[in-house]
Amino acid sequence: MAYYRHLATEWEEMSNKAVRVLLIEDNPADTRLIREILAEDKGSPFKLECADRLATGLACLAQGKIDVVLLDLGLPDSQGISTLVKVQAEALTVPVVVLTCLDDEALAVEAVQEGAQDYMVKGHVDSNLLARSIRYAIERKRAEEKARQLETLKELDQVRSQLLANVSHELRTPLTTIKGYSTMLLDYDRRLGHDEKQEYLSAIDKATDRMAELVDHLLDMSRLEAGLLKLDKVPTNITALLQTTIAEARLRTPGHKIVLNLPKAVLKLNGDGRRIRQVVDNLIENATKYSKPASTVTIEARSQDSELVISVADRGMGIPRENSGKVFDRMFNLEHRLTQEPGGLGLGLALCKALVEAHGGRIWVNSELGKGSVFNFALPREAIAEGEANSEEG
Amino acid sequence: MKKGSRATILIIEDEDDIRTFASRVLELEGYRVLQASDGDEGLRLARGNQVALVLLDLRLPGRDGWAVLSQMKSDPELSSISVVVFTASAATQQRSQALDRGAADYLVKPLSANSLRESIARILR
């Protein structure tokens, strides 16, 4: 929706205001000429800004108040096609018309292939031609942008339908447990032993937990998307947080050997303990899910420069090299979830990444196929007063 | 117990709870039940065990339910076994696809003990 609003506002702005032109040109004679030509134009008014160096031009672009750039490719501080590339890097959505000398037409054509909207040969410029080229450049760029935004919307739509498919599947699995066991308990009450009934009731209980967790993940993800997820950052004792987390993880997955390596000094930082714990829980859950029972999962924490690094290492199947950069990407996980055992929404790592980044941290994975994976995340250690940290997580 | 209830049913399902549910209900109904948690194990058990019916999940690790279904229907030794698809996907397109490919019924999760019992009894009657 935000895209549509954005487009509509741009349209309004464009049709009401003067066209803001940035001329980046080092030859004063050419600058004067362009200024005169634009002043002559009888159509909608142009507002011209001039820069005689690329650096000055880029600084002007950075303020974001330019509708179109007239660009000489040969400037004191930049020559050739790289001049255009630098302008595009600063302002990808601003159209560019390249100004060229007569003997440079090949370069101008190359510039158009590189994404410039048009080119004009100096000395062959008149008022009509220039005004038309500027307006066409703006319209063409707008059409390109719209196509690009539509593409983004389509992608977003794909993410949504894939997510919906996964959600419905993931909710049906615990629902099947609940429906199945409860109807069985009702129908065969007299024929089931006490222990067996307890077993089914406990499975129903676990299934409802799983559903609640799925709903929480979904809500977190949509809050993050809408920018509504607020961190509650307080001085937090990470040593104690990890000890509690690991103690509970051991109870949940008694099959695995879960090892915790901590430095002697107590680790503290300013952060949202509940969210940090969520990240650690998720990484441990993945580690146990993707490795054989009885294998070892090692959690380590250490201070490193201005960061606190926490890593979770498993001896599982590992991640193919070509995918190790993509595992935190939401769409990748959603798509692969369909063909990949075991269960999950495919949101876990994307959520971890978002939570770590909301803390100003980073997350990455080192993995070797067949040998295992190490998921790491680093959080900045902002200065906190000694002895101020909570003994428990937020 | 009804006559014919001693038929053997093979359940191919990767979720432990769902496999336990289905097998326990069918045992209580007097069937002989075999269990497999993936497609390859399922195909192995389908041979030489006088299996009358396979309850088949579609989303399985490795060889998925679709592959198991087509393998069974193209194998002369297995093609007479009734296959009941048991899946979390309610899409009508998938349903007709499964029936076209020879499934005897298409059951959507979640499912009550009664619905499971009735579908199986109807097919094995």
Side-chain angles (χ1 to χ4, degrees), chain A residues 113-161:
Chain A
Q113 284 163 352
E114 279 295 312
Q117 268 59 45
D118 201 359
Y119 72 91
M120 311 221 68
V121 179
K122 288 180 191 174
H124 290 252
V125 182
D126 66 37
S127 160
N128 272 337
L129 207 57
L130 184 60
R132 204 176 60 189
S133 174
I134 287 175
R135 295 211 178 85
Y136 276 14
I138 292 174
E139 291 312 318
R140 197 173 308 153
K141 189 71 183 182
R142 200 202 302 282
E144 280 173 22
E145 279 303 295
K146 238 167 49 180
R148 202 178 55 83
Q149 282 164 347
L150 263 176
E151 207 50 47
T152 315
L153 275 177
K154 265 190 218 155
E155 257 176 56
L156 210 64
D157 206 45
Q158 254 176 22
V159 169
R160 294 234 178 274
S161 6

Side-chain angles (χ1 to χ4, degrees), chain A residues 203-218:
Chain A
I204 289 171
D205 181 34
K206 284 207 185 87
T208 56
D209 286 347
R210 186 165 161 190
M211 291 182 72
E213 192 189 329
L214 284 170
V215 172
D216 281 345
H217 273 192
L218 271 179

